[in-house]
């Protein structure tokens, strides 16, 4: 696998489009992230609660990143061999790192280093949920679990569970991001072909009467 292989894979799997979309999200957060979204709240006595845009925008970047798994040949690629899976993993990893680096830089320049770290952490956590959602519900519904979690955070803000508002070094939020990303990556790696292969390996050999 070479850099040329990654470039060819990126052309087929919307690499330029994904980078452009996530760049727009990062710039929107940098320039308008401080504006608040007025949402109804059931977690307090107030009629509405204001949620800064920059706390929710990482969800869009995470969903955009999952588009790397979709495509006209995605079903066939899932049944591919180890070389294909390594190429897909390398492509998704490089793409995610690039998006995180650009998002961190723009957010750090606009607000501060801590805000950049929090933005990246939210991208990773929502990326894990998006990958898990896509594996369970299909790639057309990668947004389902991330959106459900975002609605809960909007309705019950400023709690210990709100990783979008927790400090950059909050261990619980980083642990949640690690667990989410691990579950999402594991769900993507557990293709139907791999699950069937593992089941066949675990099945005991059939013994005949003469054996």
């Amino acid at each position: 696998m070479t850099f040329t292989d990654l470039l060819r894979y990126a052309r087929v799997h919307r690499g330029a489009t994904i980078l452009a979309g996530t760049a727009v999200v990062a710039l929107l957060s940098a320039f308008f992230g401080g504006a608040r979204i007025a949402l109804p709240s059931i977690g307090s006595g107030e009629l509405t609660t204001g949620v800064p845009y920059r706390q929710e925008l990482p969800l869009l970047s995470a969903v955009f990143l999952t588009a790397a798994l979709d495509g006209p040949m995605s079903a066939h690629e899932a049944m591919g061999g180890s070389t294909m899976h390594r190429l897909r993993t390398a492509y998704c990893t490089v793409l995610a790192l690039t998006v995180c680096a650009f998002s961190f830089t723009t957010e750090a320049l606009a607000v501060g280093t801590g805000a950049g770290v929090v933005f990246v952490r939210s991208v990773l956590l929502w990326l894990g949920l998006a990958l898990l959602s896509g594996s369970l519900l299909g790639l057309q519904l990668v947004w389902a679990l991330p959106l459900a979690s975002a609605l809960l955070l909007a309705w019950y803000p400023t709690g210990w569970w709100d990783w979008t508002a927790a400090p950059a070094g909050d261990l619980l939020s980083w642990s949640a991001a690690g667990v989410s990303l691990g579950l999402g990556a594991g769900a993507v790696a557990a293709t139907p072909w791999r699950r069937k292969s593992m089941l066949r390996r675990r099945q005991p050999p059939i013994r005949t009467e003469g054996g």
Side-chain angles (χ1 to χ4, degrees):
M1 181 176 60
T2 64
F3 182 70
T4 303
D5 295 330
L6 281 176
L7 286 179
R8 290 174 179 171
Y9 194 87
R11 292 193 190 101
V12 179
H13 292 81
R14 309 168 184 171
T17 303
I18 294 170
L19 290 177
T22 52
V24 170
V25 172
L27 293 173
L28 284 175
S29 180
F31 286 104
F32 308 106
R36 290 182 171 269
I37 311 168
L39 296 172
S41 173
I42 59 176
S44 66
E46 301 293 334
L47 293 178
T48 60
T49 181
V51 180
Y53 275 104
R54 66 170 32 93
Q55 292 185 202
E56 309 300 327
L57 284 174
L59 187 153
L60 295 179
S61 294
V63 171
F64 283 154
L65 280 171
T66 58
L69 299 176
D70 199 8
M73 299 292 291
S74 58
H76 296 283
E77 290 173 358
M79 296 184 293
S82 58
T83 301
M84 174 60 70
H85 286 289
R86 283 197 300 270
L87 180 60
R88 184 174 70 167
T89 300
Y91 168 64
C92 292
T93 301
V94 171
L95 194 63
L97 290 176
T98 303
V99 170
C100 287
F102 183 80
S103 301
F104 170 80
T105 302
T106 55
E107 197 74 0
L109 291 174
V111 184
T113 303
V117 173
V118 172
F119 195 98
V120 169
R121 183 180 65 200
S122 295
V123 170
L124 295 177
L125 202 155
W126 268 319
L127 176 58
L129 290 180
L131 293 174
L132 184 61
S133 182
S135 299
L136 296 176
L137 306 175
L139 291 176
Q140 301 303 317
L141 294 174
V142 293
W143 50 266
L145 290 181
L147 181 59
S149 67
L151 292 176
L152 289 176
L153 294 180
W155 286 335
Y156 296 96
T158 64
W160 58 266
W161 54 84
D162 188 357
W163 67 82
T164 65
D170 184 62
L171 183 60
L172 181 62
S173 297
W174 278 108
S175 299
V179 171
S180 174
L181 197 58
L183 289 175
V188 171
T191 60
W193 177 81
R194 284 182 171 177
R195 290 198 298 268
K196 291 178 181 179
S197 179
M198 291 181 65
L199 288 175
R200 285 197 297 267
R201 292 176 184 177
R202 291 181 179 179
Q203 289 178 350
I206 300 176
R207 297 183 177 179
T208 61
E209 294 182 0

